[in-house]
Amino acid sequence: MKVVVENKIPFITGVLDPVAEVVYLAPEDITQAAVADANALIVRTRTRCDAALLDGSAVKWIGTATIGTDHIDLDYCRRRGIEVANAPGCNAPAVAQYVFAALNHLMPEGLAGRRIGIVGVGNVGSIVARQAERAGMEVLLCDPPRERREGGDRFVSLDEIARRADVITIHVPLSHDGPDATFHLADSDFYARCLHHPVIINAARGPVIDTAATVEALDGRLIAAAVIDCWENEPTIDRQLLDRVAIATPHVAGYSLQGKQRATAMIVDAFAAAHGIDPARLGPLPFDRPTAPADVILSPADIALYDIAADDRALRRDPDSFEALRNNYKYRSEQQPFNPSPK
């Protein structure tokens, strides 16, 4: 079996080598020719998996060491019988750490009593909600697909989020079609409905906010501030938006050490399960598996571990280095080491 692995995925080198022929390639080198005789791919968001890459190839399994799958043409894969695996929730605690590091930076007077609107209540949004409640914030949840599935009165509409929230943080996948399309979810109409001049945070996907509309909303003081980690057209980011946002980072909200470890472990596990391989035959993972995302509770000290201002300064110094900053990021810790009290 031949497996092509994107060489920017941490902690995976050598793990699959005992059971497969593994070729490690830079994202730009994962081409149609390079994957023609591969049986499996393991990638990140920078590798677009679609007909242009996969037509004529032997690929039957794709693993992405990420939460999102919008870089994979899922319809095409279904038609071709290609199985796709991702790593849901792997970096959810890291994104929550990012959100609250940003809010603590912008609101040093404290978060208690503020009203936060969370758009998208999956793995990330659920942890953000839990942390917000611990911080004394009033939490508004918006997730139409979950609301339809679960019913009840715990969810509110996007319009209510716009009307009532002091902070709006977005944690949705990118989709262009259907009743729950998220492309340009935050557009000029949305901003016009924001009555409390909220802080807007996008640590989801770049195109869920309309760049031009966000610039206009900041200039028109419809919103008080914006925190942008995910950008339209990245790594080529809009300089007008960069100049206006309060915090700008190069798509690293989820880049914690523990998040990357979880992602690699989840994809390795999925690969072994899909191919009927005894995990004992794999090479060892070079880390102890971190706490499951749903079990993570971030303390104020955990949030303070992240110096978000440093990432902001690095991007502003050289916006053209967006991709290099992301690829060479020194993974932060999302939790302090556990040091039990001596007996």
Side-chain angles (χ1 to χ4, degrees):
M1 181 190 313
K2 181 176 179 179
V3 184
V4 171
V5 176
E6 187 178 322
N7 67 1
K8 299 298 182 183
I9 297 172
F11 312 120
I12 200 170
T13 301
V15 177
L16 302 181
D17 294 64
V19 298
E21 174 193 351
V22 185
V23 179
Y24 300 92
L25 296 176
E28 61 271 19
D29 295 329
I30 300 178
T31 63
Q32 188 175 48
V35 308
D37 61 345
N39 306 106
L41 303 180
I42 299 180
V43 299
R44 302 178 309 153
T45 56
R46 285 299 184 258
T47 300
R48 176 70 184 167
C49 298
D50 56 11
L53 178 68
L54 299 168
D55 266 358
S57 77
V59 171
K60 288 297 179 183
W61 189 88
I62 298 171
T64 179
T66 61
I67 290 177
T69 58
D70 47 87
H71 55 296
I72 300 174
D73 186 336
L74 297 177
D75 288 336
Y76 171 86
C77 289
R78 277 191 287 270
R79 293 195 302 271
R80 283 280 311 276
I82 299 172
E83 183 180 348
V84 176
N86 65 329
C90 62
N91 63 1
V95 178
Q97 182 193 44
Y98 177 95
V99 168
F100 288 95
L103 292 178
N104 289 343
H105 182 80
L106 295 177
M107 302 174 178
E109 67 280 7
L111 304 179
R114 305 267 188 171
R115 187 178 292 127
I116 185 170
I118 301 171
V119 183
V121 194
N123 289 300
V124 176
S126 296
I127 293 179
V128 171
R130 186 171 68 215
Q131 291 295 138
E133 289 171 351
R134 287 171 59 86
M137 304 182 80
E138 181 183 345
V139 177
L140 304 175
L141 303 177
C142 177
D143 192 318
R146 284 195 66 175
E147 185 176 14
R148 288 195 296 271
R149 289 195 305 269
E150 299 173 11
D153 56 2
R154 64 186 297 241
F155 298 103
V156 302
S157 67
L158 187 63
D159 183 66
E160 187 167 349
I161 293 278
R163 288 188 291 106
R164 297 181 59 201
D166 304 306
V167 175
I168 300 173
T169 184
I170 302 172
H171 304 289
V172 297
L174 178 63
S175 59
H176 290 79
D177 304 307
D180 303 312
T182 60
F183 176 76
H184 283 187
L185 179 148
D187 58 10
S188 56
D189 179 63
F190 174 79
Y191 291 130
R193 290 179 280 149
C194 290
L195 300 185
H196 287 258
H197 310 287
V199 172
I200 301 290
I201 303 174
N202 183 18
R205 286 289 182 264
V208 301
I209 70 166
D210 181 329
T211 295
T214 306
V215 169
E216 291 177 2
L218 287 165
D219 286 348
R221 301 184 183 277
L222 296 176
I223 57 178
V227 176
I228 306 295
D229 182 60
C230 303
W231 305 71
E232 285 197 282
N233 304 312
E234 61 183 52
T236 305
I237 64 176
D238 187 273
R239 301 305 173 85
Q240 287 188 316
L241 184 58
L242 176 65
D243 289 343
R244 287 162 174 78
V245 299
I247 297 175
T249 51
H251 203 151
V252 294
Y255 273 34
S256 72
L257 176 65
Q258 293 86 350
K260 292 299 180 182
Q261 289 172 341
R262 289 189 199 97
T264 295
M266 292 168 77
I267 286 304
V268 166
D269 290 347
F271 175 86
H275 295 91
I277 296 170
D278 181 351
R281 295 178 56 205
L282 302 176
L285 291 168
F287 53 82
D288 294 328
R289 293 185 182 235
T291 305
D295 296 330
V296 173
I297 297 175
L298 299 172
S299 70
D302 295 331
I303 294 166
L305 286 172
Y306 179 28
D307 182 3
I308 196 170
D311 285 345
D312 174 83
R313 290 192 297 270
L315 182 59
R316 292 183 194 275
R317 275 195 303 268
D318 185 7
D320 290 330
S321 69
F322 188 102
E323 197 73 347
L325 289 169
R326 192 171 189 239
N327 285 336
N328 300 309
Y329 191 74
K330 183 178 179 181
Y331 304 127
R332 64 187 189 269
S333 179
E334 68 192 31
Q335 288 192 292
Q336 298 185 100
F338 175 63
N339 294 311
S341 302
K343 294 181 180 178

